Amino acid sequence: MAVRVRLKIESVDHKMLEAAALVNTGFETEKPQLLLPVKAAEKLDLWPNLPPEARVEIYDTAGGPTRVYLMPEKAKATVLTEDRESRGIISDIVISHTEVEVLIGDKLAGKMQIVIEDPGEGIWRFRDDPQDRKRRSQTVERWI
């Protein structure tokens, strides 16, 4: 298992999407980034008509280099739980043709105050939760 959280994603054009997102500390970024599969990006009207500020980038992945589309500061992401919402964090959007899950990069996870307690069991908490507060991972959501 891994840690997945429920996200509310709101584009700067006020389109909204809720999705389970994998907290991927191996997705190392310089600033907060949220990776969306093409199917999820379509729901936010970010695909196939990319905004003018979008640019093509090559990202290194476990499967080798891949081309993605980067849109700086294009959305606000908020973690939703049964008892609270996190502070919304402005994030770059990265669109991928190959990834099938929404991914939270390391810097975005840090800004959202997500603390992974047990990745094998999918246990996490917010940094300001009591130490004994254990939150369970969301079910995987694939955008195929």
Side-chain angles (χ1 to χ4, degrees):
M1 181 171 273
V3 172
R4 291 178 178 86
V5 298
R6 191 94 196 138
L7 278 190
K8 176 174 67 176
I9 306 161
E10 183 178 1
S11 74
V12 294
D13 299 329
H14 304 290
K15 304 283 184 190
M16 274 205 267
L17 171 69
E18 280 190 27
L22 176 65
V23 181
N24 185 346
T25 59
F27 177 18
E28 297 176 78
T29 63
E30 292 182 17
K31 51 192 264 199
Q33 290 190 346
L34 183 64
L35 185 140
L36 300 177
V38 167
K39 294 281 187 195
E42 287 174 346
K43 300 285 185 190
L44 291 171
D45 287 337
L46 295 173
W47 189 265
N49 300 315
L50 293 168
E53 66 273 15
R55 63 183 190 258
V56 176
E57 299 273 333
I58 303 297
Y59 276 27
D60 288 323
T61 70
T66 189
R67 182 171 58 175
V68 297
Y69 305 88
L70 174 67
M71 288 153 275
E73 299 182 355
K74 198 64 176 169
K76 180 170 66 172
T78 306
V79 178
L80 305 175
T81 68
E82 65 281 350
D83 63 339
R84 67 187 272 194
E85 282 188 16
S86 73
R87 180 173 57 94
I89 304 297
I90 300 300
S91 174
D92 294 349
I93 293 292
V94 178
I95 299 175
S96 170
H97 281 290
T98 57
E99 186 55 59
V100 296
E101 282 192 77
V102 174
L103 302 180
I104 296 172
D106 62 342
K107 294 289 190 292
L108 181 56
K111 295 270 187 198
M112 293 177 142
Q113 300 191 7
I114 295 169
V115 175
I116 298 173
E117 293 286 336
D118 186 336
E121 296 298 319
I123 306 296
W124 69 281
R125 66 182 177 83
F126 287 110
R127 192 174 301 131
D128 62 354
D129 278 338
Q131 288 283 5
D132 62 347
R133 176 68 162 112
K134 306 296 183 204
R135 297 180 184 275
R136 297 229 165 253
S137 184
Q138 292 286 299
T139 304
V140 64
E141 184 175 359
R142 292 188 175 88
W143 295 83
I144 300 174

